[in-house]
Amino acid sequence: MGKEFSSVPMYTESAEVTKSFDDDGRIKRTGTLLTASSHIITAVIGSGVLSLAWAIAQLGWVVGPAVLMAFSFITYYTSTLLADSYRCPGPVQGTRNYTYMDVVRSHLGGVKVQLCGLAQYGNLVGVTIGYTITASISMEAIKKSNCYHKHGHDAHCSEPAYPFMIIFAAIQIVLCQIPNFHELSWLSIVAAIMSFAYSSIGFGLSVAKVAGGGNNVRTTLTGTTVGVDLSGSDKVWRTFQAIGNIAFAYAYSTVLIEIQACFVDTLKSKPSENKVMKKASFIGVTTTTIFYMLCGCVGYAAFGNDAPGNFLTGFGFYEPFWLIDFANICIAVHLIGAYQVFAQPIFAFVEKSCQKRWPESKFINAEYMPFMGSHGFNMFRLVWRTIYVVVTAVLAMIFPFFNDILGLIGAASFYPLTVYFPIEMHIAQQKIPKYSFNWMWLKILSWSCLVVSLVAAAGSIQGLAVDVKTYKPFK
């Protein structure tokens, strides 16, 4: 999230000091197009790539890539609008904003600020639940792969993911107590290496499966076939759910918040931040789309209409078992850190709100440092953050359904944060006349994305309902 505003004064007279500070009194920005682009690519390519082969299988060779390209275009276009909204009232000379909610407050105000906060923090909560599910599936896959390797391919190696969710939650309880976790600069580097590693391994294994011959899989222009793979109603629901999964893969909303309100905040003022961010968004989204196309389409070619929800679990857990283990270790390590990235803004929001409401409470405000060195130990932080991790783990145990959860999160977050607010802020900033051509075009785009998000959410909710009814964890 955005950094707290510095108390450094605005220096204008001393040329020497001016070289050290920007127009808002903060230390001179040094970010470049390269650093902004790398942050985007690092943040976008994540666990969403694991479900793309399944999504393409539901949509087919024609609609699947077309939907991927459509989300790519919309994501890039709305990110350029948000880049212009970083300053207010003008995109170049206006006052800077440091968080997504600040941007909405500056341009729209009123109840929309609260709606933005609800969508933003609701999305963050959903992602932490989704990451708990995904990480536990990868941990389970490691044990299952080793079991098959040790006892043979016919061995009974299935077991529930609950113990692994508990392990993941225990790790998060410890990590949550680290103050200023977001300042650990190595986290982004590790996450980037891990995400590229497991995505590349999945892509490489898919290519090997296709090139190896004897790959008796069935792919079609329209994806899964009614009457052969599933019923007509299931085809409709799965199509909607697949759209939600692709939306999650392009869950650029939180990335926009972090990069526009934080990483952009490190960009040099010249050239202007909005121009650099537009170029960075183009590079980041283009690179991501190419990577997604490769993983999704080659994964579909490898598994056909029977593509698994997580394509790294579809290689039989057999050989090379060590490579599949390594890929799943990369996923788990990536999501251990990614959980904290998404949880920290929630922690900060709740803790600052409570400190403001109960300033005299020692339980909430007192800092103790018996064993923490320079970092404080706070009882409220210990209790509240532990409760949060436990609740997300329990929800993950109740709804341990990878594709359904990803689809629901994607559907719920894509429209408000990636489409609606950037468009509304652009209209307000540019003072676009109501019912003009530009106004109508932007509204049609917004309404169309709303419909897509609603049908994707409906498909995911239906899938959740069916899976909850038929789920047998100990089978």
Side-chain angles (χ1 to χ4, degrees):
M1 304 302 292
K3 303 172 185 176
E4 292 298 322
F5 191 87
S6 173
S7 59
V8 177
M10 293 284 289
Y11 295 100
T12 56
E13 296 180 0
S14 170
E16 182 179 351
V17 176
T18 302
K19 290 180 181 179
S20 302
F21 298 92
D22 265 329
D23 55 2
D24 59 351
R26 293 194 176 194
I27 296 175
K28 201 77 173 178
R29 276 85 170 169
T30 58
T32 64
L33 174 62
L34 178 62
T35 58
S37 301
S38 64
H39 281 310
I40 292 173
I41 295 170
T42 298
V44 175
I45 296 180
S47 60
V49 72
L50 302 174
S51 67
L52 291 181
W54 180 87
I56 298 293
Q58 311 312 311
L59 301 172
W61 285 118
V62 177
V63 177
V67 171
L68 267 173
M69 288 302 300
F71 273 96
S72 172
F73 169 77
I74 293 169
T75 298
Y76 168 68
Y77 177 69
T78 56
S79 70
T80 63
L81 302 184
L82 190 53
D84 284 337
S85 301
Y86 170 61
R87 288 177 180 261
C88 182
V92 178
Q93 300 298 330
T95 302
R96 300 172 188 267
N97 293 284
Y98 303 106
T99 67
Y100 199 119
M101 288 181 67
D102 285 343
V103 175
V104 175
R105 184 178 291 108
S106 296
H107 290 86
L108 303 176
V111 70
K112 291 182 179 179
V113 180
Q114 284 70 42
L115 292 176
C116 173
L118 181 63
Q120 180 181 347
Y121 289 105
N123 172 59
L124 294 174
V125 172
V127 170
T128 56
I129 296 171
Y131 280 1
T132 303
I133 296 170
T134 309
S136 66
I137 290 174
S138 295
M139 293 176 182
E140 179 189 12
I142 295 169
K143 187 168 185 179
K144 189 182 294 185
S145 172
N146 292 334
C147 175
Y148 281 128
H149 178 73
K150 183 177 181 179
H151 300 291
H153 298 174
D154 296 325
H156 179 73
C157 296
S158 297
E159 61 179 276
Y162 295 156
F164 303 101
M165 291 182 183
I166 295 173
I167 293 172
F168 183 81
I171 294 172
Q172 295 304 332
I173 288 173
V174 174
L175 292 179
C176 281
Q177 304 310 316
I178 301 176
N180 302 320
F181 191 90
H182 62 283
E183 293 180 1
L184 299 179
S185 58
W186 52 266
L187 183 63
S188 180
I189 298 173
V190 172
I193 295 172
M194 294 298 104
S195 60
F196 270 109
Y198 66 71
S199 300
S200 299
I201 290 171
F203 171 68
L205 290 173
S206 297
V207 170
K209 195 172 189 297
V210 173
N215 191 31
N216 299 318
V217 300
R218 182 169 48 85
T219 64
T220 62
L221 293 177
T222 57
T224 50
T225 306
V226 175
V228 178
D229 301 305
L230 70 180
S231 66
S233 61
D234 285 341
K235 172 70 174 180
V236 173
W237 289 119
R238 285 198 184 184
T239 297
F240 293 164
Q241 188 179 334
I243 294 172
N245 276 246
I246 295 175
F248 179 83
Y250 278 103
Y252 200 34
S253 56
T254 305
V255 179
L256 284 172
I257 296 166
E258 295 297 326
I259 294 176
Q260 187 69 17
C262 184
F263 296 134
V264 163
D265 197 32
T266 68
L267 287 176
K268 298 176 182 178
S269 299
K270 294 181 180 181
S272 60
E273 302 94 345
N274 64 326
K275 290 183 179 180
V276 176
M277 272 306 299
K278 288 177 182 180
K279 292 179 181 179
S281 294
F282 178 78
I283 294 171
V285 174
T286 300
T287 304
T288 300
T289 300
I290 293 172
F291 201 71
Y292 281 177
M293 281 288 187
L294 291 174
C295 290
C297 293
V298 177
Y300 179 42
F303 297 108
N305 291 345
D306 294 325
N310 177 342
F311 84 141
L312 270 177
T313 65
F315 296 99
F317 301 104
Y318 305 147
E319 304 299 337
F321 84 101
W322 59 269
L323 187 59
I324 297 171
D325 282 357
F326 179 71
N328 282 294
I329 289 172
C330 289
I331 294 174
V333 172
H334 174 214
L335 296 184
I336 285 172
Y339 183 103
Q340 289 297 314
V341 171
F342 284 86
Q344 287 294 324
I346 303 172
F347 297 156
F349 175 76
V350 171
E351 287 159 18
K352 287 180 180 178
S353 299
C354 291
Q355 288 168 3
K356 186 176 180 180
R357 184 175 180 85
W358 296 287
E360 304 300 325
S361 173
K362 290 186 178 180
F363 175 73
I364 294 174
N365 297 285
E367 294 280 346
Y368 305 97
M369 297 187 292
F371 306 108
M372 301 292 288
S374 60
H375 296 300
F377 174 79
N378 177 266
M379 284 300 297
F380 176 68
R381 185 163 58 233
L382 173 66
V383 174
W384 139 245
R385 294 188 180 191
T386 301
I387 290 174
Y388 178 85
V389 173
V390 170
V391 169
T392 56
V394 170
L395 289 174
M397 291 177 185
I398 297 173
F399 303 106
F401 313 114
F402 180 74
N403 295 99
D404 300 325
I405 292 296
L406 294 195
L408 185 58
I409 296 170
S413 63
F414 181 79
Y415 174 71
L417 296 174
T418 305
V419 179
Y420 174 75
F421 286 116
I423 286 179
E424 291 299 311
M425 289 188 290
H426 177 71
I427 291 174
Q429 185 183 56
Q430 299 298 320
K431 297 180 173 59
I432 298 175
K434 199 172 186 179
Y435 303 118
S436 65
F437 175 80
N438 286 342
W439 186 90
M440 289 297 297
W441 139 250
L442 289 169
K443 287 295 185 179
I444 289 172
L445 175 62
S446 180
W447 295 332
S448 299
C449 290
L450 173 60
V451 172
V452 169
S453 291
L454 288 175
V455 298
S460 298
I461 292 171
Q462 190 272 345
L464 273 175
V466 171
D467 287 341
V468 167
K469 189 179 297 185
T470 60
Y471 183 54
K472 296 179 180 179
F474 296 99
K475 184 175 179 180

